[in-house]
Amino acid sequence: MAQTNIQSGTSTDASLRRQLAEFWYYFSENRGAVIGLAVFVLLVIIAVFAPWIAPHSPADQYRDATLLPPFFQEGGRADYLLGTDAVGRDILSRLIYGARYSLFIGIVVTFIALVGGIFLGVIAGYFRGWVDTVIMRLMDVILAFPSLLLALVLVAIIGPGLTGAMISIALVYQPHFVRLTRAAVMAEKTRDYVVAAKVAGASPLRLMFKTILPNCMAPLIVQATLSFSNAILDAAALGFLGYGAQPPASEWGTMLADAREFIASGQWWVVTLPGLAILITVLAINLVGDGLRDALDPKLKRS
């Protein structure tokens, strides 16, 4: 018996290694996805080790060094590599700490939207009938509004701030996960392995969340990746409008809001650098999402 268990465990490990090797093969075929993954890993490292990487505290104000340009421009100083803002805060340090806000926002928003969307989508797809109708009509109402406008309305109800912004964005993104999960569950619930588990006496909860759901995760993973990047964008937009993270937070959208008076002036670095940080981060995550789609979609594998 012990030998049988050892052989079973070895077979499972070998199967897992083959699956991981196959996943990486298809993922690495997309060079953009590999580059995006490298940038994202670098962003995670920067966020985790921000206190040791940043040359200054993001909130410290150096009154003798206001609106200094980057070090490579005339008038710049090596102490402030990317210059300073209107109150003398080091922009490089604020960008580094801003990575923490972006990752935190993306993780929280995606987690809330994913968990809630999966729960509602599985129930709607499995039970159908009036339960499905009520859930999907509610999702249709949410989708009828422009996402940023609806987020603004929800933030106005919940209250401005980072917490309210994250909850609002998560509620706006939830219908996408509900519809994806519902469609996948409807396709899987009639398959032989589900029918066999049902005949064997499996309860509805076991059928929904242990039998069917694991086979529906591929499109949800891709959608979660894209929602991660969109959450960063929408949080930055809310921060720019004054409804997201509040000053003196170093969130990138808030940094853009503080710098809006310099858009038409010569202090280009105050506005451009936070915008570039948002652009690079969102682009990297979207590229990773494309790679995940290539690696997880069986149709693309066969092509």
Side-chain angles (χ1 to χ4, degrees):
M1 179 66 71
Q3 186 176 1
T4 303
N5 291 336
I6 292 173
Q7 290 176 348
S8 176
T10 304
S11 175
T12 302
D13 292 341
S15 175
L16 179 61
R17 284 196 297 269
R18 282 197 302 271
Q19 291 175 1
L20 290 175
E22 181 186 10
F23 168 82
W24 178 250
Y25 171 78
Y26 286 106
F27 183 87
S28 60
E29 286 287 299
N30 188 328
R31 294 184 180 180
V34 176
I35 295 173
L37 179 62
V39 173
F40 180 74
V41 170
L42 179 62
L43 179 69
V44 172
I45 294 172
I46 289 173
V48 171
F49 296 101
W52 295 274
I53 297 174
H56 303 277
S57 169
D60 286 350
Q61 301 178 9
Y62 302 93
R63 296 297 184 176
D64 61 335
T66 57
L67 288 177
L68 285 179
F71 76 97
F72 52 81
Q73 190 171 326
E74 184 179 355
R77 286 160 52 178
D79 293 343
Y80 311 101
L81 293 178
L82 296 181
T84 59
D85 62 11
V87 293
R89 293 174 297 192
D90 181 53
I91 289 181
L92 175 60
S93 300
R94 290 178 64 76
L95 290 175
I96 290 172
Y97 275 88
R100 285 187 159 189
Y101 281 96
S102 295
L103 288 179
F104 180 69
I105 290 168
I107 290 170
V108 172
V109 169
T110 303
F111 178 79
I112 295 174
L114 181 64
V115 172
I118 285 176
F119 180 75
L120 293 175
V122 169
I123 291 175
Y126 184 83
F127 289 109
R128 301 302 304 277
W130 68 269
V131 175
D132 180 32
T133 301
V134 171
I135 292 175
M136 295 314 298
R137 293 301 75 77
L138 178 61
M139 296 303 109
D140 289 341
V141 170
I142 296 175
L143 287 172
F145 292 91
S147 59
L148 186 57
L149 177 62
L150 181 57
L152 281 171
V153 172
L154 293 173
V155 168
I157 296 172
I158 298 172
L162 188 59
T163 302
M166 290 190 296
I167 294 174
S168 302
I169 297 169
L171 292 175
V172 169
Y173 288 166
Q174 201 162 84
H176 303 288
F177 292 100
V178 173
R179 297 179 78 172
L180 270 177
T181 306
R182 173 180 176 269
V185 169
M186 287 171 57
E188 293 291 327
K189 66 181 288 190
T190 57
R191 296 188 183 274
D192 293 342
Y193 73 93
V194 178
V195 175
K198 194 171 185 178
V199 171
S203 65
L205 279 177
R206 183 181 179 86
L207 285 172
M208 287 188 291
F209 295 103
K210 195 166 183 179
T211 306
I212 298 176
L213 182 58
N215 295 287
C216 305
M217 292 306 297
L220 293 173
I221 292 172
V222 177
Q223 181 62 39
T225 307
L226 299 177
S227 295
F228 194 106
S229 63
N230 289 334
I232 295 173
L233 271 179
D234 284 351
L238 291 176
F240 181 78
L241 295 172
Y243 290 95
Q246 300 297 304
S250 56
E251 194 268 329
W252 293 333
T254 306
M255 291 177 65
L256 284 173
D258 293 340
R260 73 180 74 187
E261 61 184 292
F262 302 104
I263 291 177
S265 68
Q267 288 81 20
W268 60 269
W269 61 91
V270 185
V271 181
T272 305
L273 296 177
L276 278 176
I278 296 171
L279 170 65
I280 292 171
T281 302
V282 171
L283 179 61
I285 297 172
N286 284 339
L287 289 173
V288 172
D290 288 341
L292 289 174
R293 182 199 61 198
D294 295 344
L296 296 174
D297 192 334
K299 296 178 182 177
L300 292 176
K301 288 180 183 179
R302 285 197 297 268
S303 61

